[in-house]
Amino acid sequence: MKMLLTGARVIDPAQNINDFMDVLLEDGKIAKIDADLSPSLKTKDRGKIQILKLKGKLIAPGLMDMHTHLREPGLEYKETIASGANAAVVGGFTSIACMPNTEPINDNRSITEFIKRKAAQAALAHVYPIGAISRNSAGTQLTEFWDLKDAGAVAFSDDGKPVMDAALMRRALEYAHSLSLPVISHCEDTNLSAGGQMNEGYYSTILGLRGTPSIAEEIMVARDILIAEFTRAAVHIAHVSTAGSVDLIRTAKKRGIKITAETAPHYFTLTDDALQAYSTNLKVNPPLRSAADVKAIKAGLADGTIDVIASDHAPHARTDKELEFEYAASGISGLETSLALSLRLIHEQVLTWPELISKMSLQPARILNLAKGTLKPGADGDVTVIDPERIWTVNVKSFRSSGKNSPFDGWEMQGKAILTIVDGEIKYDDRAQDKEA
Ligand code: DOR
Ligand code: ZN
């Protein structure tokens, strides 16, 4: 089956394309991309080709979210692989990578294979499992990296928990490097963060909630930079939240250290003053930081210090969130709001369109060594079509994710994925408002 996407502006940072182009999909792959493909095709293929007219829309390589939490196996009441993959395509993501903090932890081949099997059954977005660095993510013994890679793991992380033992982190970086897979580091010194409920600062003081200081993150970022420099291996820093981390990463990159970094939309959208509402939907780890931190995160995104925007989609059930602040779980259900919140960076002129698309498709694909994130002929037919003008209101009740825990409920957004195409098949279609004949 052939599908022609026509009339839209195509943004493909890998090919330096930011122009009006036609894209032809055939047999699940990108077949052609050119200024005007319709005349040549019409005569030959009339009737056999699905033509999608997309005037006023943007075509991007399928978006990739390299940091999500699906809760299967073990915590299906929060999210299943199928419900998470469903939320992904609604959010415009054709690929997601999922963290290993399930129950049990994804620290072995059978769980990695299970995740892949469930994802294949769901047949929505591509799902790439991330294997644990340490057994049971307990931080003492490395997992079987080779075995995990062989089963399909695309990276290693103990996300949700830091690797506190620097010697173990050193071995992890060395071993992962030999397998050409990245290590994704959750940077948190748990002695400094112990008992922390929110960012340590003015608001934690007036609210009477114990704070997590920014140095709890930065000390570990600094440590990982030193380990990466010493081992000459790559490290990827997850969910950067502080100005100090941005500075450390910027300097390390200048020194040629193999470091990449991501942040999540809540870290450039919300500040810790919002916690005055005492809403547990604002509880997240690392915590929402100060206005100065948000400014630095935006500067880090703008100058390329922060390579990737990832959702850190962390779905939780009502029973995990409707508790006293101290007992509530951390996390925000992010897959269905990540793109729209990120588009605000374009409206604010922090990022250009190609920069944003790159941080949400090409860059994560590069870091995970996946042949994705581009519309080059021959590439997989993963495409996201965005309506940059669509005004819509976040409503958690209509989330496909089982996790309704979003502080953005009721927010008005501009810009939305309206078509999510995976391997040449439409997996999500929200053209309802402006479908053309
Ligand atoms: O807020 C968070 N939630 N941060 C993490 O690191 C883990 C995540 C989760 O698994 O819920
Ligand atoms: Zn996470």
Side-chain angles (χ1 to χ4, degrees), residues 120-136:
Q121 281 165 12
L124 292 160
H126 298 285
V127 177
Y128 296 99
I130 297 169
I133 293 172
S134 65
R135 285 179 198 222
N136 204 25

Side-chain angles (χ1 to χ4, degrees), residues 263-294:
T263 191
H266 35 277
Y267 299 117
F268 54 74
T269 309
L270 297 169
T271 46
D272 57 354
D273 67 321
L275 280 119
Q276 291 175 97
Y278 265 107
S279 165
T280 56
N281 282 335
L282 296 160
K283 185 174 178 182
V284 63
N285 187 27
L288 302 175
R289 303 287 188 181
S290 70
D293 292 304
V294 167

Side-chain angles (χ1 to χ4, degrees), residues 69 71 101 159-160 186 239 284-286 312 314 316 330-331:
H69 297 268
R71 304 300 193 184
N101 63 339
D159 183 67
H186 171 117
H239 42 57
V284 63
N285 187 27
D312 198 357
H316 289 293
S330 293

Side-chain angles (χ1 to χ4, degrees), residues 6-9 20 53-58 386-389 436:
T6 183
R9 180 148 72 100
F20 291 92
K53 293 180 184 164
L54 300 166
K55 194 159 167 264
K57 311 296 184 282
L58 289 168
I386 299 165
D387 181 347
E389 306 297 338
E436 291 180 57

